[in-house]
Amino acid sequence: MSSDDKLILALPKGRILKEVTPLLACAGIIPEAAFDDPDARQLSFATNHPDLQIIRVRAFDVATFVAFGAAQLGVVGKDVLMEFDYSELYAPLDLKIGKCRLAVAEPIDLVEKDQPRRWSHVRVATKYPGITQRHFAERGVQAECIKLNGAMELAPTLGLCRRIVDLVSTGNTLKANGLVEIEQIADITSQLTVNRAALKTRPEQISGWIERFREAVDGS
Ligand code: PRP
């Protein structure tokens, strides 16, 4: 088999990876041993299928690799799909993992006196400036976004801005930083995502993997 016949499956590092691993097993994919070693510097991994290679990259970068066709399949959060809106990405399957929500939050001592419905302008720290601006624009509010890549919850405490837009799962991070969720923007789960052009040129190979993942999700 030439390397051109190989499919690349891009997976996100971090907490989603733990939830993806059992799904891989249900779909009959066994990565080489180094995949389970958190200290390994290796980024690309063979699997028990000679035509399937796995790469491990940052969550936002999974979407970029798949959109540009450098990977043909990927596990991408709905948050990332909404933020980038890449036309080359097709998300045929909800993997029902990584469940959380994207929400607006602010300090607990601001909640009682705040009137979000009267805002005309809001300054927000977020990893999601695109979603945030669209969300507020829908009700005529201009959102000024300060882009952060993590630890958004620190922004209000340190006076960067009073509101944040971030993912909330258990709510523990908000609570630990004196913040309260005041508005939900979207429910988020991870999606199996494919490159549209690859699906056209290699329909059987890619559809086969979509079906295997579908059966894995239905059986889990
Ligand atoms: C995410 C998110 C919040 C936290 C929410 O960060 O950005 O900070 O999880 O989870 P909780 O509601 O269960 O506390 P993550 O830990 O994935 O790291 P990041 O800041 O690098 O995105």
Side-chain angles (χ1 to χ4, degrees):
M1 170 167 308
S2 87
S3 61
D4 287 349
D5 297 327
K6 268 200 180 176
L7 286 181
I8 307 289
L9 167 64
L11 299 179
K13 291 179 182 178
R15 66 168 90 177
I16 300 294
L17 197 60
K18 289 197 191 87
E19 292 187 60
V20 172
T21 306
L23 263 189
L24 290 181
C26 288
I29 301 169
I30 305 168
E32 64 176 298
F35 181 75
D36 295 318
D37 176 0
D39 297 326
R41 301 301 299 161
Q42 196 175 328
L43 300 172
S44 180
F45 306 88
T47 71
N48 56 325
H49 299 273
D51 67 340
L52 188 72
Q53 187 84 14
I54 290 176
I55 60 168
R56 204 164 53 188
V57 297
R58 283 171 195 262
F60 274 60
D61 294 341
V62 172
T64 308
F65 274 93
V66 179
F68 285 88
Q72 291 73 38
L73 295 150
V75 171
V76 184
K78 207 168 154 206
D79 53 325
V80 179
L81 293 173
M82 286 167 70
E83 181 65 18
F84 286 128
D85 206 15
Y86 281 128
S87 59
E88 267 310 306
L89 293 182
Y90 168 53
L93 181 64
D94 185 343
L95 295 172
K96 299 183 180 164
I97 57 171
K99 286 185 188 168
C100 57
R101 55 200 182 272
L102 195 60
V104 186
E106 66 183 18
I108 195 161
D109 54 9
L110 184 61
V111 175
E112 262 184 36
K113 53 182 189 249
D114 202 11
Q115 294 183 299
R117 291 284 142 195
R118 300 183 67 173
W119 295 346
S120 60
H121 170 269
V122 64
R123 184 186 284 175
V124 181
T126 186
K127 197 158 57 166
Y128 306 95
I131 298 173
T132 302
Q133 269 156 1
R134 284 198 300 276
H135 171 74
F136 284 110
E138 271 171 22
R139 58 172 208 250
V141 178
Q142 191 198 350
E144 181 192 337
C145 294
I146 301 174
K147 176 88 184 343
L148 291 178
N149 295 308
M152 256 74 67
E153 294 85 357
L154 280 175
T157 319
L158 298 180
L160 193 58
C161 56
R162 290 186 291 177
R163 283 99 187 178
I164 67 168
V165 165
D166 195 12
L167 296 177
V168 182
S169 176
T170 60
N172 290 343
T173 311
L174 288 183
K175 201 170 173 197
N177 290 281
L179 301 174
V180 173
E181 194 178 333
I182 56 165
E183 203 174 310
Q184 194 173 325
I185 299 179
D187 283 318
I188 305 296
T189 47
S190 296
Q191 315 285 312
L192 182 66
T193 304
V194 304
N195 176 277
R196 285 185 195 277
L199 185 58
K200 278 191 198 133
T201 53
R202 301 158 80 174
E204 280 174 25
Q205 210 183 359
I206 292 180
S207 300
W209 283 113
I210 296 172
E211 282 320 304
R212 275 180 177 241
F213 273 101
R214 195 182 304 282
E215 285 162 20
V217 172
D218 289 347
S220 63

